Amino acid sequence: MAAVGYALLWIGDAAFGGGELQMPFGPRAWEFIGLMLAIGLFASWLGTLCWNEASQRLPPALAGQLIVFETLAALAYALALRGQAPAPGVLLGVVLGVVLLVAGVLWALRVKPQAA
């Protein structure tokens, strides 16, 4: 899927972007290839391995909370990487997301499993 997306980006840049991107790998090809391999290995393979372990060990109500936390953490990391503060709407969404996340975790912890 990533290769198809990359091909579409390449075609779109040639057709509509005026060929501004230095294709296929940019000005620092080996750095780009190494970074893509590292992201593919750690984000895809290792992330999936960790997610599978967590989802097998946690109740579904708590595993669902991990999805919300993952999204909020990715947003915080992207903003920190850019070195910019979030826009007011984004900040409101993050605050609301954190409040709902904490409330959901607290609510899920009060539910006691029933013996079969």
Side-chain angles (χ1 to χ4, degrees):
M1 285 179 39
V4 170
Y6 192 62
L8 290 173
L9 174 68
W10 198 344
I11 292 168
D13 179 59
F16 304 110
E20 295 174 9
L21 298 176
Q22 294 181 1
M23 294 293 192
F25 302 118
R28 300 179 308 223
W30 291 112
E31 186 176 330
F32 175 80
I33 292 169
L35 185 60
M36 292 303 106
L37 289 173
I39 289 172
L41 177 66
F42 292 117
S44 297
W45 177 75
L46 186 61
T48 301
L49 184 68
C50 291
W51 174 256
N52 287 339
E53 285 295 320
S55 63
Q56 289 176 8
R57 295 169 192 245
L58 291 174
L62 287 179
Q65 304 299 323
L66 287 177
I67 297 170
V68 177
F69 181 75
E70 179 184 11
T71 303
L72 292 173
L75 179 61
Y77 177 72
L79 290 169
L81 186 64
R82 289 182 179 176
Q84 69 184 110
V90 174
L91 184 60
L92 177 64
V94 169
V95 169
L96 183 61
V98 169
V99 167
L100 291 173
L101 176 66
V102 170
V105 169
L106 292 175
W107 180 67
L109 288 175
R110 354 180 340 257
V111 176
K112 302 286 186 225
Q114 301 293 327

